[in-house]
Amino acid sequence: MRKVYIIWLREIKKYIRSKSRVIGTLGMPLLFLFVLGFGLKSRISVNNGDYLDFIFPGIIAMSVLFTSMFSGISVIWDKQFGFMKEMLVAPISRTKIMVGKTLGGATTAVFQGFLIFMLSLLMGIRIHSFSGFIVALAFMALIGISFTALGISFGSRMEDMQAFPLVMNFVIMPLFFLSGALFPLEGVPKILRMIALINPLTYGVDALRFGLVGISQIPLWIDFIVLAGFCVLTISVGTYLFNKTSV
Amino acid sequence: MGIIQLKSLTKKFNSLAAVDGISFSVEEGEIFGFLGPNGAGKTTTISMLSTILKPTSGTALINGFDMIKDKADVRKSIGIVFQDPSLDEELTAYENLTFHGVMYDLKKDMRERRIAELLNLVGLEKRKNDFVRVFSGGMKRRLEIARGLMHHPKILFLDEPTLGLDPQTRANIWDYIKKLNENEKITIMLTTHYMEEADKLCDKIAIIDDGRIMALDSPQNLKSIVGGDVVSIKSPDTKKISNAFAKEKWVNKIKIHDGAIDVSVNKAEEMLPKLLKITNEIKSEIISISVHKPTLEDVFLHFTGKTIREEEASAKDAMRLNRRLWGR
Ligand SMILES: Nc1ncnc2c1ncn2[C@@H]1O[C@H](COP(=O)(O)OP(=O)(O)O)[C@@H](O)[C@H]1O
Ligand SMILES: [Mg+2]
C-alpha cells in the first residue's frame, strides 16, 4: 500500500509543480464556458432552462476528461526520461504501479474539475443541492479513473509523444463533442443521438448534470452501471497493456 | 560458487542474437567488467539480469535466486544504474531517494539514515533538496549510484557508469566505485567500452563481441596471453644486435623493421639492463629505446580482430549522450 501511495504522491507532486499544465488545461474549458455559456445564454434554452446551466456540468466533465487522458498518456514521458525503468526494476508488480498512476491521474483530474466548478460558482452559477454535489463528485472520480486508465492504455502502446495529436483529434475531441455535453439528446438527428449513446462520457455528463443542476435525460442508475462497467473495462485493458509495455 | 551465474543466457531480437548463449560466473566481492564495443550486447545482458527483459532462453542465478522464477528476490538483491538517465528530474534528490526507499520497503527512520549516509558518500548532502533538473551530468550519475545502493543490495550493476562524463568526473566516479567495493563489500558488475576503465577498476574482465564471450580473465592474465612486453630499439646495427639477442633464452621473439628491432620479452623493465649489456659488449650504437606494454586494446584486437574505437559512438549513443549532457 505504501508503494502505491508513493506512486500516487509522485503524480500529485508533479501536477502541483507544473503550473503550466494546471493553467493550460484550465484554459480550454474556461473558454468554452465563457463563449458558449455566456455568448449563447440569451439565445438558447434547453428544456426551458438556461444554456449556461445546461453546459457547465459538461465543461467540468471535459476538464476531467482532458486532465485524466493527459496524465494517463504521460507514461510515455516516464518511458522516455527513463524513470519507468526505476519503477519496473523495483520489487513491485506492474499492476500496482498501474493502480498508483491511475489513482494519481484521477485525483488531479477531479481536482481540475473541482477548480472549474469553483470558477463556475464565481461566475454566478448555483448548484441544485449539496447531496447532488456529492453525486457529481463521485461521477467525476469515475470519469477520472476510467480515462486515466484509457490514457495509460494508449501510452503503453505508444513510443513517443508524436502520436499524441492523433489521440487528441481522434479520441479526446470526438469523445467530448459527441457526448451530449453541448447538446440535449432529444431533438437532435438520430445518428448523433446514437453516437452519443454509445459514448460512455455521455453517461458521466448526464450524471453530473443530474447532480449539479437537477436535469437528467438518462436514469442515474443506468449512468452508474454504464460508467462503472466502462471503468472496469479500461482498467483491465490498461493493466493488460501496461504489463506488456517494454522500455 | 559465484554470486551471479549465467547459464546459456540468450536474447534474440527477431533473428538477431543480441546475446548469444553466454555462460560465466562472477564471484562475490569482485569488480567484474563487461567490456565490448557498442552493440555488443552488454545492456541487453544487464537488462535480463535485472529482470526487466525476458530472455529468449537460458537463465541466471543471482544471489542464489533464479532470475525468472524468483523475480522479487532477485530485485531485492540487486541495485542498478542504467545506461540512460533514469531519475525524475521534476523531483528533488531527496524525493528520488525516498521514492526508491519506499519501493524497497525501507522504514522511515532507516530510510532517512541511509539517505544521509549515501548523499554524504557521493558528496551531494548540500544538494539534497535541489531539483535533479539543475544537476550536472556527473552529479546525476552520482545520485543514481547512491539510489542504487539505498536498499543495501548484494550486487550493484553499473551500465556504462561514466559514459559522456568529462575525465575528471570519470576519475571521481571510479574512486566512488572502488570505495564502495571496499567499504560496503558489494559485488559490482559494470559494463564499459572504455579500456582504461576496465583496466583500472576491474578484478576480472569478460570481453564480449556480437553477443558472445571472447575471453574472460584478470586484466593481467589477459595481457600476458597477448604476449609479453615489447622493447623497441632503434639502431644502425639491427642485424648484429638481432644475431646477438637470438642466442638468449629469455627473448621470446625478434622482429626487424624500418631500422628498428622489436624484442618480445617478459617484464621489460627487468630485462632492459641485460639488453643494454649485450649491445655494449658487441659495441653497437643505439639511437633510442622504447618499451611498449600490451594494453587491453591489444587484448581486444587479439580476441575479436577489431579495435574498440571510443569516438565511434553509435548514433543512438550520441543521442543518449546529448540527452544526458543537456539534461533531456
Ligand atoms: N529493443 C530492441 N529491439 C531490437 N534490437 C535491439 C533492442 N535492444 C538492443 N537491440 C540490438 O541488440 C544489440 C545489442 O545491443 P546492446 O545490448 O544495447 O549493446 P551494448 O549495450 O553492448 O552497446 C544491438 O545490435 C542492438 O541494436
Ligand atoms: Mg549499452
Side-chain angles (χ1 to χ4, degrees):
Chain A
M1 264 330 279
R2 285 199 56 79
K3 297 183 188 180
V4 173
Y5 165 74
I6 196 98
I7 292 173
W8 174 85
L9 186 65
R10 170 172 175 260
E11 297 291 322
I12 306 301
K13 279 187 175 167
K14 286 169 82 83
Y15 167 78
I16 293 172
R17 283 174 193 172
S18 68
K19 304 211 171 42
S20 60
R21 206 169 111 200
V22 177
I23 295 165
T25 35
L26 272 182
M28 179 99 94
L30 278 184
L31 205 64
F32 266 85
L33 201 57
F34 216 74
V35 172
L36 292 185
F38 286 104
L40 300 177
K41 194 174 160 64
S42 55
R43 299 288 169 128
I44 305 177
S45 88
V46 178
N47 302 345
N48 300 322
D50 190 289
Y51 188 56
L52 184 61
D53 280 346
F54 179 80
I55 64 160
F56 101 90
I59 304 297
I60 292 178
M62 170 197 205
S63 136
V64 176
L65 169 74
F66 280 27
T67 314
S68 54
M69 278 294 271
F70 190 80
S71 29
I73 287 182
S74 75
V75 297
I76 294 175
W77 294 132
D78 283 345
K79 287 200 268 188
Q80 284 206 321
F81 295 122
F83 196 76
M84 186 66 89
K85 283 192 190 145
E86 156 75 357
M87 289 192 277
L88 294 188
V89 80
I92 176 177
S93 69
R94 288 198 185 191
T95 304
K96 280 190 184 152
I97 300 176
M98 158 84 190
V99 169
K101 285 193 81 74
T102 305
L103 292 179
T107 308
T108 59
V110 170
F111 182 75
Q112 195 87 13
F114 184 72
L115 278 184
I116 296 288
F117 171 74
M118 296 303 281
L119 290 170
S120 309
L121 290 187
L122 286 182
M123 289 180 184
I125 293 168
R126 288 293 164 258
I127 58 163
H128 170 65
S129 70
F130 183 74
S131 57
F133 172 72
I134 298 299
V135 170
L137 217 50
F139 273 85
M140 279 158 69
L142 267 182
I143 300 172
I145 293 173
S146 307
F147 287 100
T148 309
L150 187 64
I152 292 177
S153 314
F154 282 108
S156 299
R157 298 288 297 170
M158 285 154 57
E159 284 287 312
D160 51 41
M161 269 298 187
Q162 275 175 357
F164 183 69
L166 281 181
V167 176
M168 189 74 196
N169 287 324
F170 292 101
V171 181
I172 302 181
M173 285 304 188
L175 270 172
F176 171 65
F177 280 104
L178 301 173
S179 70
L182 301 178
F183 56 83
L185 296 173
E186 279 103 41
V188 292
K190 213 177 183 150
I191 178 80
L192 202 54
R193 180 183 155 84
M194 288 266 291
I195 294 176
L197 284 178
I198 56 169
N199 178 353
L201 188 63
T202 300
Y203 301 84
V205 169
D206 186 72
L208 288 191
R209 204 173 275 141
F210 171 82
L212 297 175
V213 193
I215 320 169
S216 156
Q217 297 166 297
I218 303 168
L220 190 66
W221 66 273
I222 294 187
D223 289 336
F224 179 74
I225 288 178
V226 171
L227 213 55
F230 180 64
C231 192
V232 170
L233 180 74
T234 53
I235 289 180
S236 314
V237 171
T239 306
Y240 173 75
L241 292 176
F242 185 71
N243 268 291
K244 284 201 356 180
T245 194
S246 62
V247 283
Chain B
M1 257 323 268
I3 192 160
I4 307 174
Q5 295 171 49
L6 285 74
K7 299 177 172 169
S8 319
L9 198 60
T10 304
K11 181 71 193 181
K12 293 201 169 101
F13 293 113
N14 302 319
S15 63
L16 170 89
V19 175
D20 199 358
I22 61 178
S23 306
F24 61 83
S25 83
V26 176
E27 301 303 318
E28 189 157 6
E30 265 178 354
I31 302 186
F32 186 94
F34 211 39
L35 176 73
N38 284 313
K42 305 183 294 293
T43 298
T44 306
T45 305
I46 297 284
S47 301
M48 287 192 283
L49 294 179
S50 59
T51 74
I52 57 174
L53 186 67
K54 226 170 121 187
T56 310
S57 64
T59 187
L61 288 183
I62 291 162
N63 195 23
F65 301 112
D66 187 286
M67 67 178 233
I68 294 164
K69 290 191 218 109
D70 318 312
K71 268 202 177 91
D73 289 315
V74 169
R75 289 177 179 188
K76 282 181 194 152
S77 311
I78 62 168
I80 179 163
V81 175
F82 298 100
Q83 176 172 334
D84 300 328
S86 65
L87 294 164
D88 188 333
E89 307 215 335
E90 304 300 317
L91 299 182
T92 64
Y94 173 79
E95 287 169 335
N96 268 285
L97 295 179
T98 300
F99 186 95
H100 189 93
V102 171
M103 283 299 199
Y104 287 79
D105 300 303
L106 294 185
K107 295 275 175 313
K108 189 172 166 75
D109 49 340
M110 173 71 181
R111 208 164 65 215
E112 297 293 332
R113 212 166 349 113
R114 190 70 175 150
I115 289 175
E117 199 174 293
L118 287 170
L119 283 178
N120 190 39
L121 174 78
V122 299
L124 288 173
E125 62 274 59
K126 293 214 175 71
R127 310 302 298 265
K128 182 175 164 184
N129 292 316
D130 288 356
F131 285 108
V132 172
R133 101 175 86 84
V134 304
F135 282 15
S136 70
M139 289 162 70
K140 286 181 194 165
R141 216 57 182 151
R142 270 146 51 200
L143 182 60
E144 282 179 321
I145 293 176
R147 183 178 68 179
L149 293 168
M150 275 289 290
H151 54 288
H152 293 281
K154 300 270 289 181
I155 302 157
L156 182 64
F157 292 110
L158 299 168
D159 196 358
E160 309 258 10
T162 64
L163 181 70
L165 299 179
D166 61 85
Q168 199 198 330
T169 314
R170 184 175 295 168
N172 271 336
I173 301 240
W174 290 345
D175 283 345
Y176 290 126
I177 294 174
K178 273 243 157 77
K179 206 154 67 174
L180 275 176
N181 178 245
E182 280 156 23
N183 298 352
E184 307 236 344
K185 307 259 174 296
I186 195 168
T187 307
I188 295 176
M189 177 166 177
L190 63 87
T191 80
T192 183
H193 64 278
Y194 295 121
M195 293 289 174
E196 197 192 351
E197 185 159 291
D199 206 359
K200 280 234 170 85
L201 274 178
C202 300
D203 302 312
K204 277 226 190 88
I205 292 174
I207 292 180
I208 178 170
D209 191 31
D210 282 335
R212 282 191 297 270
I213 302 291
M214 314 300 281
L216 194 162
D217 214 324
S218 68
Q220 273 62 40
N221 289 346
L222 284 173
K223 284 185 232 169
S224 65
I225 291 170
V226 185
D229 305 348
V230 175
V231 180
S232 192
I233 302 173
K234 245 189 175 164
S235 159
D237 286 343
T238 48
K239 256 271 143 39
K240 203 161 128 200
I241 298 175
S242 150
N243 288 338
F245 283 176
K247 290 175 202 142
E248 304 295 332
K249 288 207 300 288
W250 41 266
V251 170
N252 298 335
K253 218 170 85 191
I254 300 173
K255 210 170 88 193
I256 301 177
H257 64 89
D258 318 319
I261 169 168
D262 283 353
V263 190
S264 297
V265 294
N266 296 328
K267 300 210 172 124
E269 48 288 294
E270 287 169 28
M271 294 304 148
L272 269 180
K274 289 193 186 176
L275 289 173
L276 289 175
K277 199 161 154 242
I278 294 171
T279 53
N280 266 339
E281 276 163 11
I282 59 172
K283 298 208 166 31
S284 289
E285 189 194 340
I286 289 175
I287 299 167
S288 72
I289 296 185
S290 64
V291 174
H292 174 74
K293 298 189 139 285
T295 62
L296 279 180
E297 195 86 45
D298 302 310
V299 174
F300 195 81
L301 181 67
H302 177 83
F303 283 106
T304 67
K306 326 181 217 183
T307 53
I308 277 196
R309 290 252 190 76
E310 288 170 9
E311 60 276 17
E312 253 180 33
S314 66
K316 200 171 165 195
D317 274 352
M319 193 194 76
R320 284 168 164 165
L321 222 115
N322 275 337
R323 228 211 281 168
R324 185 171 300 155
L325 293 178
W326 306 113
R328 273 274 126 168

